[in-house]
Amino acid sequence: MYHGVGDERPAIPDWCQVPAREFLHQMEFLQDRYRVLALSEVIHRIENRLPLPDRTACLTFDDGFRSVYTCVWPILSKYQLPATAFVVTSLPDTGMPPWPGCVLYALANTTLSSTQLDGVEWKLSKGREGAAIYARMVDRIKTLPREEREQRVEKLVAALFDGRPPDLLKSPRATMTWKEVEQLAATGLVDIESHTHTHPSLSRCPPEEQSDELRLSHDILRQRLRPKGLFCYPFGEYASATVKLLSGIGYRCGLTTAPGLNSARSDLYRLRRVGIGPGMTDARFEMAMIGCYR
């Protein structure tokens, strides 16, 4: 499980950005030691009880960051490694970051020492402490209904920039445009699949909103591309109702953020992943790939 790849060093560390050199080494390792298959191929084999090669691995990228197009694709192309990019379908019209990325970019670039959120004053900082503040803010905001969440994020970002118009397209979490998404899909090496329409925490949404998020994203992708019916949960969060909705709408799987490996007997709607962030040594990456995280 990846998100983005890039060498920028923001004032607040971002677990979702793996340095390009580290990513290159990891792809070299996978090409040498593993059989990297498209996720759609693995799902097909599990559905039809067909055998999988030993040491099978799949590459996934959440959120549809533009760096998947600019940084990841050239490396995947070099080694001919298939991958799946999960996009938030409300974003390619603008290229904006998913809403958590807007909050992170504003916190990393604000000149303020404090701000207000929900009537509480938050002392701001950079570095690891800033990352902890960001995580607490996201945990609070993601509990809100869609419209209130959007309004809260817009108000918070405006406050953090103290009246200056923010250029969120400069964020490392800025996303691919539809043109870039379609060009990537046309290569045949990257499947473009669903990550909802607005990136909510589905487990905190009423069933009607969950259905809207899943159906709208599903329909938009089918109108523009040829998706394979794959899905991953924003924040890795879902409810039992989510799984029923996924199956009913026509999705073939659901990927979580729960760490671990999968087998042919794994629940296709609760698939585990090996999360990869920055700063992993080659040895630690190799251990993670066999399910050892210490």
Side-chain angles (χ1 to χ4, degrees):
M1 176 180 68
Y2 290 93
H3 289 75
V5 172
D7 293 318
E8 293 185 34
R9 293 189 176 184
I12 295 177
D14 186 358
W15 184 85
C16 291
Q17 302 295 333
V18 173
R21 185 173 180 82
E22 292 178 15
F23 180 72
L24 177 62
H25 286 169
Q26 291 160 5
M27 295 306 100
E28 290 172 344
F29 173 81
L30 291 180
Q31 186 199 46
D32 183 52
R33 304 285 187 89
Y34 282 78
R35 177 72 181 277
V36 180
L37 296 180
L39 176 63
S40 56
E41 171 66 15
V42 170
I43 299 301
H44 170 76
R45 293 192 186 202
I46 293 176
E47 287 173 335
N48 292 279
R49 298 184 178 181
L50 299 173
L52 286 167
D54 291 337
R55 300 171 72 88
T56 295
C58 298
L59 292 168
T60 64
F61 296 84
D62 292 11
D63 296 334
F65 294 167
R66 189 166 186 267
S67 63
V68 174
Y69 178 81
T70 59
C71 300
V72 171
W73 162 243
I75 295 173
L76 296 181
S77 179
K78 176 181 179 180
Y79 295 110
Q80 286 297 289
L81 297 175
T84 302
F86 294 98
V87 300
V88 181
T89 51
S90 65
L91 299 177
D93 285 329
T94 64
M96 291 284 283
W99 69 264
C102 296
V103 174
L104 180 61
Y105 184 74
L107 287 170
N109 291 277
T110 187
T111 58
L112 303 182
S113 59
S114 66
T115 193
Q116 293 282 328
L117 178 63
D118 294 341
V120 177
E121 184 175 7
W122 292 65
K123 298 293 184 182
L124 303 180
S125 184
K126 309 296 185 185
R128 291 185 178 180
E129 187 175 345
I133 293 168
Y134 159 74
R136 291 199 299 272
M137 283 187 169
V138 168
D139 281 343
R140 177 170 294 212
I141 294 171
K142 73 182 180 182
T143 65
L144 302 174
R146 181 190 302 162
E147 290 186 9
E148 188 176 351
R149 182 181 72 241
E150 292 173 355
Q151 293 171 0
R152 195 68 54 87
V153 170
E154 184 177 351
K155 184 177 180 181
L156 175 62
V157 170
L160 288 169
F161 277 94
D162 198 22
R164 295 175 291 120
D167 187 356
L168 294 170
L169 294 180
K170 291 183 178 179
S171 166
R173 295 194 185 187
T175 54
M176 293 183 281
T177 64
W178 280 119
K179 181 179 180 181
E180 291 164 340
V181 166
E182 289 163 357
Q183 287 177 348
L184 205 55
T187 66
L189 203 59
V190 180
D191 289 329
I192 305 295
E193 304 292 335
S194 172
H195 199 36
T196 71
H197 189 60
T198 69
H199 202 285
S201 170
L202 291 170
S203 65
R204 302 167 191 264
C205 297
E208 298 80 9
E209 185 176 334
Q210 291 190 53
S211 180
D212 288 346
E213 286 282 343
L214 299 173
R215 288 185 185 279
L216 185 54
S217 180
H218 180 269
D219 292 346
I220 289 172
L221 288 175
R222 288 190 68 186
Q223 290 167 8
R224 288 183 168 270
L225 305 166
R226 294 184 177 180
K228 310 291 177 59
L230 315 180
F231 181 82
C232 77
Y233 305 100
F235 307 107
E237 298 174 355
Y238 61 96
S240 58
T242 316
V243 174
K244 293 180 181 178
L245 285 167
L246 281 177
S247 177
I249 291 170
Y251 289 104
R252 298 162 60 202
C253 68
L255 277 62
T256 73
T257 58
L261 309 182
N262 301 289
S263 74
R265 295 180 297 278
S266 295
D267 185 337
L268 290 181
Y269 293 95
R270 295 176 175 86
L271 292 173
R272 296 174 175 270
R273 288 189 287 175
V274 177
I276 307 299
M280 293 184 77
T281 64
D282 292 346
R284 189 174 164 207
F285 178 82
E286 185 172 351
M287 293 297 288
M289 287 299 300
I290 60 172
C292 182
Y293 296 95
R294 287 194 170 186

